[in-house]
Structure formats: C-alpha cells, structure tokens
Amino acid sequence: MELFNIDHSSTIPLHAQVEDLLRDLIKIPEYQEGKLLPNEVALAKQLGISRNTVRQATNKLVFERLLVRKKGVGTTVAKNNIITKLDKWSSFTHEMGEKGVSFRNYRIDASWVEPDKEVRQLFNIARQSKVLKMERLRGVDTGPVVLFVSYFHPRVGLTGEEDFTQPLYDLLEKQYHTVAAVSKEGISAILADAELSEKLEIEVGDPVLFRKRVVCDPGGRPIEYNLGYYRADSFTYTIEIKRE
C-alpha cells in the first residue's frame, strides 16, 4: 500500500486534507484505469484519523460523481468525467445582473425537511436531523426558466424566515458570517418529468440542463447542496478555462 500523509498541525480541516489527497489520486493513470482506491479503514489507520473523517471526504467526491463506491468491492474513479476549476462564480442574482437580464421570482418556498441519505452523507449529519430546504422558481416576464432546490447545513443557522429575494450568498455572509468560497459542480442533460414540466412550463420529455452544485466555506465544509433545473431552450452553460 502506498504511503499517504496529512498535516495534523495544519489549520486546514482533516477531512479537507483527505479530500485533496483523494483528488490527487484521481489524477493518477492507474486509478483512472480502474485500480481500487485505498480501503477506508486502512487509510484512516495510516493517516491517524477516524474512518468517519475519511468517509466524509469520500462521500463528497462520490456526490460530485468523481468516485463510484460499490458495496463489497471498493471505491474506484468514475469513468468519463471532466474535472474543471472555474475561476469565478456567483449567485444567480449577480450573474443575471452582470448580463443586464431582468428576472423575477415566481415562487420561493422554504421548509424544514428530513433529508435523504445522500444529503445526510454530504453534510455528515445524523438521520434524525432536519435541514432547511428552499425551492425558488425564477424567470423572465415571459415565464419561468429555472428551478433551484437548495438544502442548507444546519450549522449555517438559517431559520427559513429570511428574505430570500436578496442575493443568497450576500445574505449568508452578512447575516450568518458564512462565506461561500468554493463551488463544486456537475452538469448533465435530463428529460423533464411531469413535475418539471408543470413548473418550467414545458412539455414532458423536453430537454433540461441539470446542474448539481456543492457550495463550501473556506474550510472546505459544505454549506449548501443546490440542484438547478434550467430550460434548455433558454440557457447555454459556458465555461472558460485557461491553459496552464
């Protein structure tokens, strides 16, 4: 087994260091070709940390669809994934403002819910915990064009009574001293089901741009899990990448 190390004296959280270690392993050809990643129990012992810390880091990469975990087999690198680092990202409000696009909120709903297993694993919270879920249907004068579904980590402190018409990340920083520092995203194409058809005012089976976003604070801790459903006839998602 390869030797791996982390810095226990660093101010960087242990789970964030393990996450960086796993991201480095993903880039190694032998792991991209299917070699199993180190066993969680063995890796935890080697690094001198708990298995839960290793599992927390692994869960985030599984959530981003960079890793695949198979029960009874192990964890491998996901196939056909493109990993990019975006130099800039912002809230939908700021993004539309910069483009000079006038938009409106068709509906904003906030409620406390029991999260599913994926959200619990991402946030590393107990089964009995509840999280704030917010749905925002947004668009232009001619109709809605995007549905956002957000789940917030309980540590943020949101109550659900906030004014969510204002830019979200400005609200988090000003009212709750929570800084959204990193966005990790996955983008794919899906077909509209009956619920999306009704909300986005499109036909069942129409193409929808689906974006999964995990927003983290400067310490690498997840603060928001966001699902975005965009009308494919209204949005083009572009990424500018500089060659190193």
Side-chain angles (χ1 to χ4, degrees):
M1 178 177 177
E2 298 118 311
L3 294 177
F4 303 108
N5 293 290
I6 58 175
D7 185 0
H8 287 264
S9 64
S10 173
T11 56
I12 300 175
L14 295 176
H15 69 84
Q17 293 190 55
V18 178
E19 183 183 338
D20 288 340
L21 187 155
L22 294 175
R23 290 184 187 279
D24 288 339
L25 291 183
I26 288 175
K27 301 174 186 177
I28 299 176
E30 59 187 303
Y31 288 111
Q32 292 183 352
E33 294 168 3
K35 179 180 177 180
L36 290 175
L37 267 70
N39 175 275
E40 288 182 354
V41 174
L43 185 58
K45 288 182 178 179
Q46 184 179 133
L47 297 175
I49 58 178
S50 70
R51 181 183 180 183
N52 283 341
T53 300
V54 177
R55 174 58 63 92
Q56 183 178 354
T58 305
N59 283 342
K60 287 182 67 175
L61 272 64
V62 170
F63 220 75
E64 294 175 38
R65 299 182 182 180
L66 299 178
L67 296 179
V68 175
R69 182 191 291 121
K70 293 184 179 180
K71 188 174 182 179
V73 178
T75 303
T76 58
V77 176
K79 300 292 185 180
N80 302 320
N81 269 301
I82 298 175
I83 305 171
T84 63
K85 180 178 181 180
L86 305 185
D87 292 332
K88 181 182 178 182
W89 65 282
S90 61
S91 69
F92 180 81
T93 304
H94 285 312
E95 184 180 359
M96 294 300 100
E98 290 175 355
K99 298 179 183 299
V101 177
S102 177
F103 74 94
R104 55 180 288 194
N105 293 304
Y106 279 85
R107 194 184 80 235
I108 299 179
D109 297 320
S111 61
W112 288 89
V113 301
E114 293 185 3
D116 61 21
K117 182 178 179 181
E118 284 189 315
V119 176
R120 292 199 308 270
Q121 289 181 339
L122 176 67
F123 286 169
N124 195 31
I125 56 178
R127 180 184 296 272
Q128 298 79 10
S129 300
K130 286 192 174 184
V131 300
L132 183 66
K133 175 184 178 182
M134 180 175 64
E135 289 194 19
R136 293 172 294 168
L137 185 63
R138 317 183 86 173
V140 293
D141 290 339
T142 55
V145 295
V146 58
L147 171 67
F148 291 121
V149 180
S150 294
Y151 298 87
F152 299 97
H153 197 291
R155 102 167 70 79
V156 176
L158 290 167
T159 66
E161 302 299 324
E162 292 79 7
D163 177 13
F164 289 115
T165 62
Q166 60 183 301
L168 175 61
Y169 303 123
D170 287 353
L171 182 155
L172 294 180
E173 186 167 353
K174 293 176 181 177
Q175 295 189 28
Y176 295 97
H177 310 291
T178 298
V179 178
V182 179
S183 171
K184 301 171 183 179
E185 307 190 0
I187 305 168
S188 59
I190 63 174
L191 300 179
D193 58 13
E195 182 180 1
L196 285 176
S197 169
E198 179 181 357
K199 291 179 178 179
L200 294 177
E201 298 181 4
I202 56 179
E203 298 294 327
V204 173
D206 279 356
V208 173
L209 180 66
F210 174 52
R211 191 215 62 220
K212 177 186 290 189
R213 169 183 283 175
V214 178
V215 179
C216 301
D217 66 14
R221 301 178 303 174
I223 60 178
E224 179 200 12
Y225 171 49
N226 176 275
L227 305 175
Y229 303 89
Y230 299 80
R231 285 183 55 146
D233 60 354
S234 301
F235 268 88
T236 299
Y237 203 97
T238 61
I239 299 175
E240 180 177 334
I241 305 173
K242 295 181 179 179
R243 181 179 180 182
E244 297 182 351

